Amino acid sequence: KAGVTQTPRYLIKTRGQQVTLSCSPISGHRSVSWYQQTPGQGLQFLFEYFSETQRNKGNFPGRFSGRQFSNSRSEMNVSTLELGDSALYLCASSFGTGGTYEQYFGPGTRLTVT
Amino acid sequence: DAKTTQPNSMESNEEEPVHLPCNHSTISGTDYIHWYRQLPSQGPEYVIHGLTSNVNNRMASLAIAEDRKSSTLILHRATLRDAAVYYCILRGPVRIQGAQKLVFGQGTRLTINP
């Protein structure tokens, strides 16, 4: 069974631009979560989608948004990029949402904002 | 929001058991305790999770205190491949309304000496 895939793997953007990252979950998984990882703040939860609905949301500004499609694939968008948005963005999928289910992480998208 | 506290780093020797502690004094009755680990340059990897009873799988064991305010991840026989950052996370039930924030601690960096 294929794992979680994220595209692109690496991305360089300029301040003020916007970016869209993509995540394809494991087949059959309906929950997709997004995380931001930086050396200073560690792993921070962005949001979680289940059956195209946002179920959980972390403490990030409205510039960070996401969506999930009917095939469970998910995208996250960051508008008006800031230097501090440089990070590894990780996507994780699980069969369901909530504590019962384990999450499987993708390799991440490394975003650099210059 | 439920928070976990872990030691910043731990060191052990190859082929010896390792006990990684996690404090979660604000855990609620419906929060699951999840452990993930992150090897260098990789996304986090699921290790184990539990609710009240101790859990075992092929990777590790999870010992949960009776009051559930702390837990310990046990690697029975550490190998060099177990060197990673280990995260203890609380994951609650689904909420139809309102946001549930998933909080990651800084994790414990485990070093294994040959």
Side-chain angles (χ1 to χ4, degrees):
Chain A
K1 196 183 247 189
V4 177
T5 57
Q6 293 186 245
T7 56
R9 291 293 311 279
Y10 301 91
L11 204 50
I12 299 175
K13 288 286 189 178
T14 304
R15 257 183 313 176
Q17 288 185 316
Q18 75 162 17
V19 67
T20 299
L21 311 181
S22 181
C23 172
S24 292
I26 291 172
S27 177
H29 284 192
R30 296 169 64 191
S31 170
V32 173
S33 297
W34 288 89
Y35 298 87
Q36 181 196 65
Q37 186 171 34
T38 60
Q41 298 296 320
L43 260 170
Q44 293 185 286
F45 171 72
L46 281 154
F47 28 66
E48 178 180 14
Y49 287 86
F50 180 79
S51 292
E52 302 179 66
T53 302
Q54 188 181 88
R55 289 300 185 94
N56 294 308
K57 187 176 185 302
N59 278 332
F60 279 81
R63 300 186 297 107
F64 292 81
S65 63
R67 59 177 175 168
Q68 186 180 33
F69 302 95
S70 58
N71 61 358
S72 294
R73 192 177 69 84
S74 177
E75 288 180 347
M76 70 161 279
N77 184 276
V78 187
S79 63
T80 319
L81 283 166
E82 301 176 359
L83 293 178
D85 296 333
S86 295
L88 180 67
Y89 289 88
L90 292 156
C91 161
S93 77
S94 59
F95 182 77
T97 187
T100 314
Y101 302 98
E102 62 267 29
Q103 295 189 315
Y104 294 87
F105 284 79
T109 294
R110 172 78 60 187
L111 172 65
T112 302
V113 182
T114 62
Chain B
D1 301 311
K3 182 182 173 182
T4 63
T5 304
Q6 301 175 251
N8 288 333
S9 62
M10 289 185 64
E11 200 169 323
S12 185
N13 297 319
E14 203 174 5
E15 297 188 7
E16 290 184 355
V18 180
H19 291 234
L20 296 163
C22 180
N23 287 318
H24 28 77
S25 58
T26 58
I27 191 170
S28 72
T30 51
D31 285 341
Y32 281 78
I33 302 158
H34 283 239
W35 283 83
Y36 291 81
R37 70 181 186 182
Q38 189 170 21
L39 281 65
S41 303
Q42 294 186 27
E45 172 188 32
Y46 167 77
V47 178
I48 199 167
H49 76 287
L51 184 62
T52 56
S53 305
N54 294 344
V55 185
N56 300 296
N57 66 20
R58 63 176 181 80
M59 289 181 70
S61 295
L62 176 59
I64 301 172
E66 198 169 331
D67 63 6
R68 302 212 324 128
K69 292 185 177 182
S70 65
S71 61
T72 302
L73 178 70
I74 303 166
L75 306 178
H76 294 285
R77 223 165 145 254
T79 70
L80 295 178
R81 289 177 298 176
D82 292 322
V85 178
Y86 286 78
Y87 295 98
C88 167
I89 303 142
L90 300 182
R91 190 163 164 79
V94 177
R95 294 183 189 175
I96 301 302
Q97 290 179 348
Q100 178 202 77
K101 298 168 192 174
L102 299 178
V103 181
F104 280 70
Q106 290 299 312
T108 297
R109 183 173 299 277
L110 177 64
T111 301
I112 304 296
N113 299 315

